[in-house]
Amino acid sequence: MTLDELRGRVEEFLAAHDPATTRRREFLRARFDAGLAWVFFPPGHGGLGLPHGWQAEVDALLDQAGAPDNNPESNIIGLGMAAPTILAFGTEEQKRRYLRPLWTGDEIWCQLFSEPGAGSDLAGLATRAVRDGDEWVVNGQKVWTSGAHNSRFGILVARTNPDIPKHRGMTYFLCDMTVPGIEVRPLRQITGEAEFNEVFLTDVRIPDSHRLGDEGQGWAVATTTLNSERVSIVGSGAPREDGMIGVVANTWRGHPLQRTPELHDRLLRLWVEAEVYRFTGARMRQKLAQGQPGPGDSAIKLTFATLNQKLSGLELELLGEEGLRYSDWTEVRPARVDFNGRDAGYRYLRAKGNSIEGGTSEILRNIIAERVLGLPSEPRVDKDIPWKEMAK
């Protein structure tokens, strides 16, 4: 299929599904079935097997026609992490079951990875899954789970074999968040709101048909998710001055009395960094869509964290006394993170979490050093020790 033929397909779709008269959910489901959801996915799974870059052409044509989107900000984990992992490791039945309602937003997803004793070292997780016939019985605790209070499903990694080294005894599951035994509790953060959660799993039964990948393959499957996560956290392709750099640039333009040569120099340097970050992120997303996530993706997430923190700090300096105002978010249980719809104080505080979520900046630097630059790895004395001996 050529790009012109793809444009023609979009025009035909719009002629059959007028956005002005077609209900939103009906339109989104029909778009998925037509292969126009993510054209770089295979046919039958929302795509047409076309180059990733052609998706922008489809999105632009649909936007011009006033078509509804799938509100991607509300399902970042599903779209950016669960979907590419299901595509890579799922059975055909799993792909048919989960990808369509995930893309349309009918089903929201969360990520059940981190634990109180296993954050940066995910392979040290202690949540246990024990086989019982055609089911697995899961017990444990997960933490820092974004959006668990709004989610229908969760991607879950649990320990299925404690008798072998930690990386080899893990299995990956698709967890129904509505089954008995799951308790979601809010976690209040520095901004005042409860965006995160801790999740307790008590005798939760998961059918073996909800296992993603082979038993014991959990680390390999989770690595695909984590590489995808580091790209998805930074957002989708964006125009120039989108996001935090746009907020700060507009603040600069609107506060002439706060301008100094030193602040001007800092803003210009950060503007250049934001452009480098934007183009690098586009390249990373293309690799991800082609099924080529890798350790280099850690660099874009690390840049995102440091850039956001620098920009949010500069914004406060530009605002002066005005930057001291702060709204009360203690009653908020957000469905998504919203940097643009909040005040400068929120952005400054929330940006601190960017260097923790999705892999700490310290761990990302280790990944870049060892797997990208080829530097000697840090000593790991627990690499070949059975997990149960480490847990004593």
Side-chain angles (χ1 to χ4, degrees), residues 141-353:
Q141 179 187 355
K142 299 294 182 175
V143 75
W144 309 123
T145 308
S146 301
H149 53 292
N150 295 320
S151 296
R152 175 67 171 81
F153 287 100
I155 44 178
L156 166 71
V157 184
R159 187 159 305 284
T160 51
N161 189 345
D163 299 322
I164 58 178
K166 57 183 183 179
H167 290 85
R168 302 204 297 268
M170 302 159 55
T171 302
Y172 197 113
F173 299 95
L174 307 177
C175 179
D176 186 339
M177 296 294 290
T178 67
V179 301
I182 294 181
E183 180 185 1
V184 178
R185 299 179 188 174
L187 283 175
R188 194 71 56 187
Q189 59 208 76
I190 193 173
T191 59
E193 66 185 8
E195 170 194 332
F196 300 106
N197 304 272
E198 52 185 347
V199 179
F200 295 86
L201 302 104
T202 305
D203 293 332
V204 174
R205 289 188 168 270
I206 300 178
D208 187 57
S209 59
H210 289 193
R211 171 173 45 82
L212 196 64
D214 296 332
E215 181 180 347
Q217 197 184 10
W219 179 254
V221 184
T223 298
T224 297
T225 303
L226 294 173
N227 286 332
S228 301
E229 176 184 29
R230 287 157 191 163
V231 177
S232 66
I233 280 178
V234 306
S236 59
R240 179 176 292 178
E241 283 199 13
D242 185 75
M244 274 298 298
I245 185 61
V247 171
V248 178
N250 287 331
T251 301
W252 169 268
R253 296 173 184 126
H255 293 76
L257 297 180
Q258 298 294 109
R259 300 174 188 171
T260 67
E262 188 271 336
L263 292 179
H264 184 247
D265 182 66
R266 280 170 57 191
L267 177 59
L268 287 180
R269 290 176 181 274
L270 291 174
W271 194 92
V272 171
E273 286 186 33
E275 281 296 279
V276 173
Y277 155 78
R278 184 168 71 91
F279 286 118
T280 304
R283 186 171 68 249
M284 291 291 184
R285 280 184 290 274
Q286 289 174 0
K287 288 176 58 183
L288 180 63
Q290 295 164 4
Q292 301 173 355
D297 299 344
S298 298
I300 189 67
K301 195 273 171 177
L302 177 63
T303 302
F304 165 78
T306 55
L307 185 60
N308 250 17
Q309 290 167 359
K310 290 177 183 177
L311 285 168
S312 60
L314 178 58
E315 182 187 15
L316 286 187
E317 292 186 56
L318 289 171
L319 288 172
E321 294 180 359
E322 184 182 341
L324 297 177
R325 292 205 303 263
Y326 189 80
S327 302
D328 182 7
W329 302 105
T330 54
E331 300 301 319
V332 177
R333 289 285 274 156
R336 62 185 180 92
V337 178
D338 182 11
F339 268 77
N340 294 332
R342 307 292 181 86
D343 50 36
Y346 170 89
R347 285 189 283 272
Y348 178 77
L349 293 175
R350 182 60 182 82
K352 302 305 179 186

Side-chain angles (χ1 to χ4, degrees), residues 7-74:
R7 295 189 185 105
R9 178 176 287 232
V10 174
E11 292 175 2
E12 292 175 3
F13 175 79
L14 289 169
H17 303 84
D18 184 353
T21 58
T22 307
R23 292 182 179 180
R24 180 175 180 274
R25 290 293 190 198
E26 181 183 342
F27 184 93
L28 292 175
R29 291 166 184 163
R31 177 179 170 181
F32 183 94
D33 295 340
L36 300 175
W38 32 41
V39 297
F40 47 90
F41 268 41
H45 299 305
L48 298 169
L50 299 175
H52 180 276
W54 293 12
Q55 183 66 49
E57 184 75 16
V58 171
D59 292 342
L61 291 172
L62 291 171
D63 287 344
Q64 292 169 11
D69 66 14
N70 61 346
N71 194 14
E73 296 85 0
S74 66

